[in-house]
Amino acid sequence: MTDLTDLTVAEIRTGVAGGSFTATEVAGAFNANVAAAQQALNAFIVATPEKALEAAASVDADRAAGKVLGKLAGVPIGMKDLFCTKGVQTTAASHILEGFKPEYESSVSQRLWDAGAGMLGKLNLDQFAMGSSNETSYFGNVISPWKRNDGGNAALAPGGSSGGSSAAVAARLCPAATGTDTGGSIRQPAAFTGISGIKPTYGRCSRWGIVAFASSLDQAGPMARDVRDCAIMLEVMAGFDAKDSTSLDMAVPAWEAGLSGDLKGKKVGIPREYRLDGMDDDVAKSWEDGIAWLKDAGAEVVDISLPHTKYALPCYYIIAPAEASSNLARYDGVRYGLRDLPDGAGLQDMYAATRAAGFGAEVKRRILIGTYVLSAGFYDAYYTQAQKVRTLISRDFTEAFKVCDVILAPTAPSAAFALGEKSADPLEMYLNDVFSVPASLAGLPAMSVPAGLNREGLPLGLQLIGRPFDEQGVLNAGLAIEARAGFSARPERWW
Ligand code: GLN
């Protein structure tokens, strides 16, 4: 029998519905992989094998009773530990939330359970989703299942902040996982680990019950091994939610049914400002491959200009910390998780001690930057200016989409780097987000699909950016690349 953990979401769904295997068998197989990899990869903060089995048993019972099964019936998934899960510890990978068991379920996770998915566990991430390498988690680094082909044994970053999600999907610990993307946290880890991931248009997925980082940017989305699985997951995760004031009140299209890799009549824009000086040769080559593949799929390729691209990174690193400093004010030692109350201390001391002990260094850095750019004397110089620049960046895309339907660019400037390689210098780490933050600032749907391996044998991703609400265009261009890239590499099991 095939290894159940090699199956895609679509294959599991069909196999369970058709009786080729039971949901309980699938959950058992993934539970075993999760347990076997935990020590080496540290992809999960908490494993919940009993939850996966419980959901599976209910699907198997429904099937036996002849009931109509949900869209994800029998599919066990990993849940980024930024989504509140009722009664199950939710930490955002921070000490300050350790022990916090929400009284409620996030809207996105509830939709997944309602569709028949089961939870394998809560996935590790960068603390409060701040990072690009999963090195800021209080619960330790996630180790990528990939290794360089140089015979060395360097531990590589799975990307961030959804690094537990990317490592788990790539290592076959789950067929799909949730991610969140504020400035690239779905796309960059997907690219680093040879999987696919899509951040939908801002507002498609409810933010209710997702620990907030930067509310005007945060979006949930799926990470999975192929484009079809992303479409299936996203269809379930998306949808209007009255509990999120920025939720889009629009019907969720049938993305899976609409999948087509035929791009005849479509125009693909290649942004000239993304061609950075000294760009990595392998990244440049994969971009060229992507252009050729999309032409082969029938698309016309056009040069476009996004003139404010160079301001995107500084703009993001003002707006995101500003919003974070405000969102994270709620962690005060009273309402959630950790409380540090020194002997004889007053209320202010308790706040200070809790926050000093509870937040990691990167989170403190963002709170300091955010508080600074919002302070009375500097607000106009930084925050107001960044908001204006954000509008210009959005306008660049609006102009570009007058002459093209979808934009193709690399997802990240390099393949996965080794742990520790960039963590000493925050600016170098932030540079990793150079290709992903513009679409975030503009709220556009964007996806990463695997494009091939670099000279070190590591995956590279290509990014597709679409018009607002045009997830279908993004998925279809992703599918056209997927069909031609023929990416079948997977990490050799060493864990
Ligand atoms: N790497 C970016 C940051 O550190 C993006 C993170 C994210 O999208 N959550 O802010």
Side-chain angles (χ1 to χ4, degrees):
M1 194 166 125
T2 50
D3 184 344
L4 294 174
T5 62
D6 280 336
L7 300 178
T8 63
V9 168
E11 289 165 343
I12 294 171
R13 178 189 62 181
T14 310
V16 167
S20 312
F21 39 78
T22 65
T24 304
E25 286 167 337
V26 176
F30 280 105
N31 278 340
N33 276 11
V34 169
Q38 185 53 25
Q39 184 127 22
L41 305 183
N42 196 31
F44 286 83
I45 293 178
V46 174
T48 55
E50 69 295 342
K51 294 259 173 213
L53 289 171
E54 197 184 301
S58 138
V59 167
D60 288 335
D62 283 353
R63 182 174 181 276
K67 290 195 188 153
V68 179
L69 299 181
K71 280 188 186 173
L72 286 173
V75 180
I77 59 167
M79 186 61 60
K80 186 176 182 180
D81 199 22
L82 203 63
F83 292 80
C84 286
T85 42
K86 189 174 179 186
V88 178
Q89 178 182 261
T90 300
T91 65
S94 183
H95 185 36
I96 209 158
L97 277 172
E98 203 171 0
F100 170 57
K101 290 192 177 166
E103 296 293 329
Y104 58 95
E105 190 72 30
S106 83
S107 295
V108 163
S109 53
Q110 188 62 53
R111 283 175 174 277
L112 289 163
W113 314 144
D114 290 348
M119 182 163 78
L120 292 159
K122 301 297 294 285
L123 291 157
N124 206 344
L125 65 149
D126 275 301
Q127 193 164 151
F128 283 103
M130 297 171 186
S132 308
S133 63
N134 221 120
E135 291 174 286
T136 72
S137 167
Y138 177 71
F139 300 95
N141 300 337
V142 175
I143 312 296
S144 173
W146 290 87
K147 295 278 187 201
R148 288 183 179 135
N149 60 10
D150 59 3
N153 201 24
L156 301 181
S161 66
S162 311
S165 308
S166 64
V169 172
R172 283 22 178 199
L173 314 187
C174 50
T178 57
T180 62
D181 191 312
T182 302
S185 277
I186 288 176
R187 292 162 282 159
Q188 183 257 21
F192 275 22
T193 55
I195 66 166
S196 300
I198 180 166
K199 174 194 97 70
T201 310
Y202 181 80
R204 273 280 188 212
C205 289
S206 170
R207 288 181 297 107
W208 197 78
I210 301 176
V211 175
F213 165 10
S215 306
S216 76
L217 296 156
D218 296 344
Q219 254 308 281
M223 300 168 74
R225 294 218 308 276
D226 65 21
V227 172
R228 176 171 298 272
D229 284 2
C230 284
I232 296 171
M233 285 280 290
L234 188 60
E235 252 178 75
V236 173
M237 294 166 71
F240 175 67
D241 180 11
K243 289 189 255 175
D244 171 0
S245 62
T246 60
S247 173
L248 279 173
D249 194 355
M250 283 172 81
V252 176
W255 288 307
E256 186 192 6
L259 286 177
S260 159
D262 179 359
L263 301 186
K264 262 189 235 69
K266 297 284 178 201
K267 289 193 176 145
V268 178
I270 308 299
R272 76 175 71 107
E273 291 78 7
Y274 282 47
R275 276 188 209 288
L276 304 179
D277 284 345
M279 191 169 191
D280 179 284
D281 286 347
D282 291 340
V283 171
K285 156 92 175 52
S286 87
W287 198 5
E288 291 307 320
D289 289 343
I291 293 172
W293 292 328
L294 292 179
K295 278 187 187 158
D296 185 58
E300 185 189 332
V301 170
V302 294
D303 273 329
I304 56 162
S305 174
L306 299 169
H308 297 91
T309 299
K310 64 172 177 288
Y311 304 113
L313 211 49
C315 172
Y316 171 85
Y317 277 99
I318 289 172
I319 291 175
E323 295 186 19
S325 72
S326 163
N327 274 326
L328 271 56
R330 74 191 69 180
Y331 305 105
D332 55 6
V334 177
R335 286 172 284 189
Y336 313 87
L338 184 76
R339 171 175 304 166
D340 200 336
L341 184 59
D343 268 353
L347 188 63
Q348 288 296 340
D349 304 318
M350 191 271 286
Y351 292 156
T354 302
R355 289 168 67 83
F359 290 134
E362 180 62 27
V363 177
K364 286 178 186 163
R365 180 178 297 121
R366 307 271 180 128
I367 293 174
L368 288 171
I369 295 171
T371 309
Y372 179 77
V373 300
L374 290 174
S375 61
F378 297 99
Y379 188 95
D380 281 338
Y382 291 107
Y383 186 69
T384 308
Q385 193 67 9
Q387 292 289 25
K388 289 180 183 165
V389 172
R390 182 176 187 175
T391 302
L392 294 176
I393 289 167
S394 280
R395 226 177 261 167
D396 283 355
F397 282 107
T398 309
E399 287 303 311
F401 284 126
K402 288 180 182 161
V403 297
C404 69
D405 300 291
V406 66
I407 293 170
L408 175 74
T411 307
S414 71
F417 44 85
L419 295 177
E421 213 166 271
K422 292 185 196 287
S423 50
D425 179 358
L427 276 186
E428 214 194 314
M429 189 67 87
Y430 299 167
L431 283 173
N432 219 262
D433 305 331
V434 63
F435 297 136
S436 55
V437 295
S440 299
L441 289 165
L444 302 172
M447 157 163 231
S448 181
V449 291
L453 299 176
N454 75 353
R455 70 189 99 89
E456 300 172 308
L458 297 179
L460 293 172
L462 280 171
Q463 180 180 207
L464 298 145
I465 305 172
R467 292 193 177 97
F469 322 122
D470 189 23
E471 285 80 5
Q472 192 75 66
V474 168
L475 289 162
N476 287 355
L479 193 68
I481 290 184
E482 181 179 271
R484 287 162 183 81
F487 186 87
S488 59
R490 56 186 285 181
E492 212 169 298
R493 186 162 171 172
W494 53 267
W495 54 91

